[in-house]
Amino acid sequence: LSRTPFELANAAADVDDLSDGRLLLGLGLGIPGLMATLHGASIDHPLSRMREYAQALLRVWDYLDGGQAEEFAGEHYRFTPLPGNPLGTRNMRHRILLYLGGMNPKMIQLAGEFGDGLVGGGYSRDFVTETVRPTLAIGAERAGRDVAELETITQVVCCVHPDRDTAMRRARIHVGQLVLNPVSDGVI
């Protein structure tokens, strides 16, 4: 979440407009260890950061669409709408679909509460049925939503290469990274 909610909401509205309303926005924090080592980014308080970001993002879309939005002030993010929206309204066709990324139960619940769906990594069919959907339902219920309206998207490891052995080796490395990550415990 390196962009401000306003910056991302505005960019997403542009892409949605250019794509004739086909944008589906995925929002995730990334894997903490990789974010720290490869990106130099600390992800402290991941659940509250994601919650606040989603809340602010939704308010910004309301603001961009019609100029009316409530102020949001959280611990990590803030949004204060200017009266009369001097930027002008965008007349968005619809609310952009927001999918939250998550692997642990609290983040999956958050996707049920605020998202239109969940993006996860390496979920098996059984894990989706036995764990993800019931956990997503907890968040949906908390927000008075129907879990049947939410989608679940999972990552599928695929490697294309003319040499089968090379493709399999690369796929094994990718699967190994998923399996060794602590957030994947019990998932795969």
Side-chain angles (χ1 to χ4, degrees):
L1 302 178
S2 59
R3 296 174 183 237
T4 68
F6 187 84
E7 183 181 16
L8 181 61
N10 215 0
D14 285 343
V15 172
D16 190 62
D17 188 41
L18 290 169
S19 68
D20 291 324
R22 292 180 288 146
L23 178 67
L24 184 153
L25 182 64
L27 183 63
L29 291 168
I31 298 168
L34 293 179
M35 293 304 292
T37 57
L38 298 178
H39 299 278
S42 171
I43 302 178
D44 60 333
H45 310 289
L47 190 63
S48 63
R49 279 189 185 279
M50 182 68 91
R51 175 183 297 281
E52 288 183 16
Y53 201 97
Q55 289 172 310
L57 187 70
L58 294 172
R59 285 190 174 100
V60 172
W61 278 331
D62 288 342
Y63 182 67
L64 293 174
D65 187 34
Q68 302 297 318
E70 293 179 26
E71 182 173 345
F72 178 78
E75 182 182 338
H76 309 286
Y77 301 100
R78 289 175 179 48
F79 171 65
T80 305
L82 298 172
N85 191 352
L87 302 174
T89 58
R90 302 191 71 118
N91 297 317
M92 295 168 64
R93 285 182 280 272
H94 63 282
R95 189 177 72 72
I96 295 168
L97 296 177
L98 178 62
Y99 283 60
L100 300 184
M103 298 290 284
N104 69 48
K106 297 280 187 194
M107 204 63 84
I108 294 170
Q109 288 176 25
L110 193 65
E113 191 174 349
F114 288 103
D116 295 293
L118 170 73
V119 178
Y123 294 159
S124 69
R125 251 188 213 152
D126 290 343
F127 187 76
V128 169
T129 303
E130 297 166 10
T131 304
V132 171
R133 295 303 294 179
T135 306
L136 200 57
I138 293 168
E141 184 178 322
R142 190 167 41 229
R145 304 172 70 201
D146 182 358
V147 72
E149 296 176 5
L150 305 177
E151 290 187 282
T152 301
I153 300 170
T154 190
Q155 174 182 358
V156 175
V157 175
C158 176
C159 182
V160 178
H161 192 277
D163 179 61
R164 185 178 191 285
D165 291 338
T166 299
M168 292 299 289
R169 183 183 61 77
R170 290 179 180 173
R172 283 187 195 99
I173 290 168
H174 192 87
V175 169
Q177 290 172 337
L178 288 173
V179 171
L180 291 175
N181 190 320
V183 299
S184 298
D185 288 350
V187 174
I188 300 174

